[in-house]
Amino acid sequence: YYHDRTLGGRIILSARFSPSVIEKLGFKTLISLKHEQHQSSDDDDKDNDEEPEDPLDRLIIGAGAELDVFWHQYFSTTLAIMNETELPGNDRGEDIAAHNVIKPTVGLRFYTPVDLVLELSAARRGRFPTLGERFSGAQGTRISNPDLQAEQSWNFGFDLSYSVTDNILLRAGAFESEVSNLIVEVPIE
């Protein structure tokens, strides 16, 4: 059986300013917390009437900032950075170390007089493996791997948007993602 639980939340503070040297400045900060718990047992454990092991748990803490600079009515930039830290709780003696994932983002936007917006972006993303991916044997269908590292990817985007009216926006985009440390399930025979 499996018993997974996730509880989390985030706080976002944002502000906009109009300093004299640039048209507009936007700033956001974000703090997030997520607690995860995973408990599983093989079918054999039920037959033995053994007590299940204590659940595994961890805390993921995130903190980040984003700066939007509107340089001119036709050009703006976005710079952002996010750090997530995984803090193991009960790891059943597996000696799991804390890990960080740093996620920078850069975006450029060009606005035209005819309500057409061109946007270019580059971002580094990452995701920690779930506790189930690390520690669960999925009732004997896979081998657990406590040493799994976070998936990482570089993402590049190109978007066009056009305001047909004040109420209608058309948007098209293309993207590319390059992933390293991809977490895949490999069945065992």
Side-chain angles (χ1 to χ4, degrees), residues 171-187:
R171 187 173 183 127
F175 64 90
E176 178 188 11
S177 293
E178 299 173 10
V179 181
S180 60
N181 290 337
L182 181 65
I183 299 169
V184 295
E185 192 171 309
V186 179

Side-chain angles (χ1 to χ4, degrees), residues 123-184:
R124 180 84 166 155
R125 296 287 175 250
R127 126 179 139 78
F128 294 112
T130 67
L131 292 173
E133 288 169 331
R134 279 198 181 133
F135 296 102
S136 176
Q139 278 93 32
T141 62
R142 67 178 180 220
I143 299 171
S144 61
N145 184 356
D147 297 324
L148 281 176
Q149 299 298 308
E151 285 182 347
Q152 302 269 342
S153 66
W154 277 107
N155 303 286
F156 305 95
F158 172 79
D159 290 286
L160 285 173
S161 57
Y162 177 69
S163 296
V164 179
T165 68
D166 287 342
N167 298 322
I168 298 174
L169 176 70
L170 294 176
R171 187 173 183 127
F175 64 90
E176 178 188 11
S177 293
E178 299 173 10
V179 181
S180 60
N181 290 337
L182 181 65
I183 299 169
V184 295

Side-chain angles (χ1 to χ4, degrees), residues 16 22-28 65-80 105-111 117-122:
R16 293 221 180 251
I22 57 176
E23 189 170 309
K24 193 174 8 173
L25 184 69
F27 181 74
K28 286 184 191 173
E66 179 179 298
L67 181 67
D68 288 319
V69 181
F70 296 83
W71 299 98
H72 187 272
Q73 67 183 20
Y74 298 119
F75 178 65
S76 70
T77 57
T78 298
L79 301 171
T105 301
V106 175
L108 304 172
R109 281 180 299 289
F110 303 92
Y111 306 89
V117 179
L118 166 71
E119 184 172 353
L120 302 168
S121 62

